[in-house]
Amino acid sequence: MKNTRGVVINSSNMGDTHLLVLDELSKAVKNSSLVLPGFQRPSVWSDKERRELIVSLCMDVPIGSFLIWEYDSTFSTHASTKLRGFDGITLTKSKAKFLLIDGQQRLQLLSTLDSSNFAKNNFVQFEKAGTDIRPRVLQKDATMPLDPKTEILVKDLAGTAGGVISALDTSFEKMARGFRANLSSTQIPVRFFEKQKTRRELLFVYQTCNLAGKGLTGEDYVEAALSFYYPDIAEKISKDLASLCSASSIEGIEKKITRSVFLKAMCDAIYEQTSFTEARKWGLDILNLRVITTQANKKKKIVEKSTPLNHRKIK
């Protein structure tokens, strides 16, 4: 593993694992040099997971690693790769140089810690437990003023104003300043994949690395798989859902015709199965997307018969 402390991510990092400073990754998100591939799922973290990450940084606990794929819009492997921006960050496609394969939820939070609704509506409460200091992250009650000696908004903890941290009790100030220092100095292991890697390979990496933690849901898997042949699928589904809901007079229809329902209907049309798990048995496979008409059976020496899935069939 190479230590590149303080070095902005660049193409010389490709094909290796490096230690990069967290602040550089956040800056890359903000300036659109690090974006999301179209097959990435929407943000799925709840406030519970966001709070746990804040506590980890307060206590100087490692927050995992990241996977990044080098991006070049003119390169053959990226011809059909769509780009997505992080929530709350303006996407400038012409500046994109890298795609984040794993680490979206963490970088989504850390890149907007001074501006997100979560940062404005949650605060850190410091408390003593013997000689130890324990931070807790809680939702702010609009009617309850914060105790400046023991409590601080997340946006202020992550911001640049020094006065708010200075107002904390001296026993808590050190941890608060440590949190702010961690945002700029924490080193994160980052594995880089060269642009020569195919989209099929990176889809498999995306699928595999998301088996743990906040695992992929059935609809996440379907969208990632179908996007191999139909890169516009996520955008298309969002537009069609919005169109269906706006054309309906049924109250709360947007809660009934969801992304999951829409994708189940697609699976039913393609595989005659609304179950994501069953659809996978019949060829919803990221590495070999097809519709199986006869499943292989080695004991009976039956050869699988299947039809490759293509853009037209999905559309």
Side-chain angles (χ1 to χ4, degrees), residues 228-283:
F228 182 79
Y229 289 113
Y230 194 0
D232 294 321
I233 191 168
E235 183 180 351
K236 176 68 173 169
I237 288 175
S238 296
K239 287 182 178 178
D240 285 352
L241 280 174
S243 178
L244 283 169
C245 292
S246 64
S248 173
S249 59
I250 301 174
E251 186 176 349
I253 188 65
E254 66 280 353
K255 295 181 180 179
K256 299 175 181 179
I257 304 181
T258 61
R259 197 168 134 263
S260 178
V261 169
F262 200 101
L263 286 163
K264 284 182 178 181
M266 288 188 68
C267 283
D268 193 33
I270 296 172
Y271 295 106
E272 298 182 355
Q273 293 285 348
T274 57
S275 162
F276 300 129
T277 302
E278 289 299 313
R280 290 177 73 168
K281 292 180 182 178
W282 292 95

Side-chain angles (χ1 to χ4, degrees), residues 105-125:
Q105 314 304 325
R106 286 165 288 162
L107 270 186
Q108 174 66 62
L109 172 63
L110 296 174
S111 301
T112 56
L113 265 187
D114 56 352
S115 59
S116 68
N117 286 331
F118 171 83
K120 295 174 183 176
N121 297 319
N122 283 267
F123 67 96
V124 179
Q125 180 185 75

Side-chain angles (χ1 to χ4, degrees), residues 77-213:
T77 57
H78 295 151
S80 298
T81 301
K82 296 293 180 177
L83 305 182
R84 271 189 40 226
F86 286 79
D87 294 344
I89 304 290
T90 302
L91 173 63
T92 306
K93 293 182 178 180
S94 60
K95 295 182 178 180
K97 296 179 180 178
F98 307 95
L99 305 179
L100 187 66
I101 303 301
D102 185 49
Q104 176 193 173
Q105 314 304 325
R106 286 165 288 162
L107 270 186
Q108 174 66 62
L109 172 63
L110 296 174
S111 301
T112 56
L113 265 187
D114 56 352
S115 59
S116 68
N117 286 331
F118 171 83
K120 295 174 183 176
N121 297 319
N122 283 267
F123 67 96
V124 179
Q125 180 185 75
F126 297 101
E127 55 189 12
K128 291 181 181 178
T131 57
D132 297 329
I133 296 173
R134 294 179 181 173
R136 292 197 303 160
V137 183
L138 305 168
Q139 185 171 1
K140 185 180 183 302
D141 183 341
T143 63
M144 178 187 72
L146 297 182
D147 180 354
K149 289 289 186 181
T150 62
E151 299 168 338
I152 183 171
L153 280 174
V154 170
K155 76 175 184 65
D156 293 330
L157 185 66
T160 56
V164 185
I165 288 183
S166 298
L168 289 168
D169 184 272
T170 54
S171 57
F172 303 138
E173 184 181 352
K174 182 178 179 181
M175 180 173 283
R177 293 196 182 281
F179 173 88
R180 188 173 287 182
N182 281 339
L183 290 180
S184 60
S185 63
T186 296
Q187 292 181 282
I188 304 292
V190 179
R191 168 65 184 177
F192 287 94
F193 296 95
E194 307 94 327
K195 61 184 177 182
Q196 289 84 353
K197 291 283 187 182
T198 67
R199 191 154 57 97
R200 189 187 298 270
E201 288 179 276
L202 268 295
L203 270 168
F204 183 65
V205 170
Y206 165 73
Q207 172 204 352
T208 303
C209 67
N210 280 293
L211 291 176

